[in-house]
């Protein structure tokens, strides 16, 4: 039998002869993302090379050490997360996988943004440990920042010519360049409306880039939500009237002032009312309600409009998403509003959700915690 020639120094081990656990070991070591396994007490039992490289550690720094004290996760301000905030603890408590964006502290103190998923390892229906997979988010964050900077610069640059268009159109409308015919006035009004739409779009884009970059500034101050709701309602009276919509509200004056961000709450409320008015055909109605629960203030905006088809409801908060049923309705939009205000609601510690049925209207709820 002819012997197979081997290159000097390279040992060819037939694959079948590799012991199962050795193969698993090799597989574990070669995974491109960081992987750390712990036992049920949270002691690190295994860590692969990628994890060690990402954390700037050596095996002896981590093996057989408690995960919580060894792999340090910090808040944006550098303060370490408490044990109860740690994802591995939540995974153990809930028995479910937990995914999150976090900041890990490398050996030496540098910070590493990561996306992690940690899952309990269940054996015979009992958790026997946890396994965490994480990857470096540095370049994704850099790309996002470049994209946001570009949108931000482009939006600011668009504003200057837009304000000139707006100003000269206003001067023409107001007769500063002589009297206009009815037809000329109609054209000017269309220019003004389009300029206003573009201005709103620029605002939305800027807000989205800020939210995505995590740089939206939340200015907390005591806010009388009943007053704010009345103000917003008044803003929509002319549009509702033009569409022959009934606009009603239930805004108890007993709603307490809460600490939140006035402008951001306005943004959410304005978007919800604007959508309700936009997506309700003539003759319908829009209703705004403010109510108090022990923990939160709940906004409700209900309309009798086109509604959202059941099969599209899961996509409604996605960026640029517009439902099929309104595309032939000649209602302009970008699909950015709900994406933006869902993010705002969450940044304010609240939430945004809805119920809807096609041709039977929609009800949007926006909750705000009493204590931010
Ligand atoms: P836009 O209104 O600019 O399209 P939004 O993000 O505010 O963007 O809304 C996304 C989509 O959700 C809309 O295009 C529409 O299909 C649907 N939608 C939102 N609000 C309502 C509503 N009150 N009634 C029916 N459909 C709605």
């Amino acid at each position: 039998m002819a012997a197979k020639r081997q290159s000097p120094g390279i040992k060819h081990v037939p694959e079948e002869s590799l012991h199962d656990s050795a193969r698993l070991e090799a597989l574990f070591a070669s995974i491109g993302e960081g992987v750390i396994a712990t036992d049920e007490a949270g002691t690190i039992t295994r860590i692969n090379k990628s994890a060690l490289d990402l954390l700037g550690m050596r095996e002896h720094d981590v093996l057989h050490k408690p995960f919580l004290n060894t792999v340090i996760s910090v808040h944006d301000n550098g303060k370490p997360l408490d044990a109860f905030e740690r994802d591995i603890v939540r995974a153990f408590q809930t028995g479910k996988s937990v995914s999150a964006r976090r900041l890990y502290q490398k050996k030496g103190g540098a910070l590493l943004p990561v996306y992690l998923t940690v899952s309990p390892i269940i054996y015979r229906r009992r958790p026997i440990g946890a396994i965490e997979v994480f990857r470096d988010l540095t370049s994704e964050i850099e790309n996002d920042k470049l994209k946001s900077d570009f949108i931000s610069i482009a939006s600011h640059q668009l504003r200057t010519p837009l304000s000139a268009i707006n100003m000269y159109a206003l001067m023409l409308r107001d007769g500063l360049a002589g009297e206009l015919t009815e037809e000329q006035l109609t054209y000017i009004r269309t220019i003004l409306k389009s300029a206003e739409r573009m201005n709103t779009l620029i605002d939305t884009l800027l807000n989205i880039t800020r939210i995505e970059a995590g740089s939206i500034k939340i200015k907390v101050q005591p806010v009388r939500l009943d007053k704010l709701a009345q103000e917003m309602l008044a803003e929509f009276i002319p549009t509702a009237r033009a569409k022959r919509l009934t606009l009603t509200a239930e805004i108890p004056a007993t709603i307490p002032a809460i600490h939140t961000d006035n402008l951001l709450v306005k943004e959410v409320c304005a978007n919800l009312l604007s959508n309700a008015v936009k997506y309700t055909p003539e003759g319908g109605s829009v209703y705004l309600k403010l109510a108090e629960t022990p923990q939160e203030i709940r906004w409700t905006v209900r309309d009798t409009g086109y509604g959202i088809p059941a099969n599209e409801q899961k996509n409604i908060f996605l960026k640029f998403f517009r439902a099929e049923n309104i595309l032939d309705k000649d209602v302009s939009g970008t699909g950015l509003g709900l994406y933006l205000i869902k993010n705002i609601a969450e940044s304010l510690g609240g939430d945004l959700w809805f119920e809807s049925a096609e041709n039977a209207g929609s009800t949007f709820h926006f909750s705000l915690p009493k204590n931010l």
Side-chain angles (χ1 to χ4, degrees):
M1 211 186 354
K4 246 192 183 170
R5 198 137 29 111
Q6 287 196 353
S7 329
I10 300 179
K11 217 163 98 192
H12 284 277
V13 185
E15 213 182 318
E16 318 82 63
S17 75
L18 271 175
H19 194 274
D20 266 1
S21 68
R23 281 169 68 177
L24 274 176
E25 200 63 55
L27 187 144
F28 186 78
S30 352
I31 297 173
E33 306 205 333
V35 185
I36 306 177
T38 76
D39 62 15
E40 75 275 30
T43 304
I44 297 174
T45 52
R46 254 161 208 229
I47 180 160
N48 74 346
K49 181 170 177 331
S50 304
L52 289 170
D53 290 347
L54 286 171
L55 295 169
M57 294 182 183
R58 305 257 189 93
E59 212 168 51
H60 66 259
D61 294 323
V62 273
L63 265 192
H64 314 302
K65 305 255 167 74
F67 180 90
L68 290 180
N69 302 341
T70 313
V71 181
I72 308 287
S73 183
V74 299
H75 290 285
D76 287 344
N77 61 10
K79 190 174 157 278
L81 267 68
D82 286 323
F84 69 89
E85 297 174 294
R86 296 293 300 264
D87 306 291
I88 190 170
V89 174
R90 275 205 290 143
F92 272 125
Q93 280 170 348
T94 59
K96 296 202 178 112
S97 291
V98 177
S99 296
R101 285 172 84 123
R102 296 284 177 212
L103 269 180
Y104 273 171
Q105 198 167 49
K106 296 169 64 146
K107 191 173 177 182
L111 297 182
L112 174 78
V114 296
Y115 184 80
L116 64 86
T117 299
V118 53
S119 317
I121 306 169
I122 309 288
Y123 182 68
R124 296 195 170 148
R125 285 195 250 145
R126 205 171 66 78
I128 56 159
I131 185 139
E132 173 168 311
V133 181
F134 63 101
R135 67 187 157 87
D136 181 359
L137 284 184
T138 310
S139 58
E140 266 172 58
I141 289 173
E142 274 164 10
N143 285 342
D144 278 355
K145 187 170 176 318
L146 284 177
K147 198 179 67 188
S148 296
D149 287 351
F150 171 74
I151 295 178
S152 168
I153 291 167
S155 307
H156 280 299
Q157 296 298 326
L158 286 172
R159 258 205 217 290
T160 319
L162 190 59
S163 33
I165 292 172
N166 204 41
M167 189 176 75
Y168 284 104
L170 279 173
M171 284 160 63
L172 285 172
R173 186 198 67 184
D174 296 342
L176 295 183
E179 204 167 315
L180 299 185
T181 64
E182 222 13 78
E183 194 180 5
Q184 286 167 335
L185 263 177
T186 313
Y187 294 166
I188 296 288
R189 286 197 196 105
T190 310
I191 293 175
L192 279 168
K193 242 200 206 138
S194 302
E196 191 188 317
R197 280 227 317 270
M198 197 147 159
N199 214 14
T200 314
L201 178 61
I202 291 174
D203 278 345
T204 307
L205 283 174
L206 282 172
N207 275 331
I208 285 179
T209 50
R210 282 186 201 120
I211 283 258
E212 287 181 343
S215 66
I216 195 131
K217 300 242 175 345
I218 299 182
K219 279 202 215 116
V220 176
Q221 53 181 343
V223 181
R224 284 283 304 270
L225 294 179
D226 56 327
K227 289 243 169 77
L228 191 150
Q230 296 286 9
E231 233 176 81
M232 299 310 300
L233 202 65
E235 268 187 33
F236 283 89
I237 290 175
T239 345
R241 198 169 282 158
K243 267 187 96 176
R244 295 195 304 106
L245 299 179
T246 316
L247 191 57
T248 51
E250 198 181 322
I251 306 171
T254 50
I255 299 280
I258 63 165
H259 280 84
T260 188
D261 186 304
N262 193 31
L263 287 179
L264 294 178
V265 175
K266 265 191 184 165
E267 181 84 33
V268 177
C269 179
N271 262 281
L272 292 179
L273 283 172
S274 153
N275 279 349
V277 168
K278 225 164 58 168
Y279 297 115
T280 303
E282 288 213 358
S285 56
V286 170
Y287 166 76
L288 167 70
K289 181 178 162 194
L290 218 57
E292 183 185 0
T293 73
Q295 277 82 37
E296 60 188 32
I297 308 291
R298 172 93 45 100
W299 297 69
T300 307
V301 177
R302 186 158 62 226
D303 65 59
T304 58
Y306 303 122
I308 300 161
N311 64 337
E312 303 205 79
Q313 294 190 0
K314 61 181 183 306
N315 297 325
I316 220 71
F317 292 115
L318 297 180
K319 222 193 289 189
F320 298 115
F321 185 82
R322 305 198 72 211
E324 200 71 42
N325 65 324
I326 51 95
L327 295 181
D328 61 350
K329 296 284 192 303
D330 193 28
V331 187
S332 65
T334 55
L336 289 172
L338 287 181
Y339 169 76
L340 171 68
I341 64 172
K342 172 91 172 158
N343 277 284
I344 292 182
E346 287 171 0
S347 318
L348 294 175
D351 202 3
L352 180 69
W353 69 103
F354 68 95
E355 298 107 35
S356 182
E358 196 168 359
N359 296 320
S362 312
T363 305
F364 280 82
H365 305 278
F366 164 39
S367 66
L368 268 176
K370 283 183 177 166
N371 297 308
L372 186 64

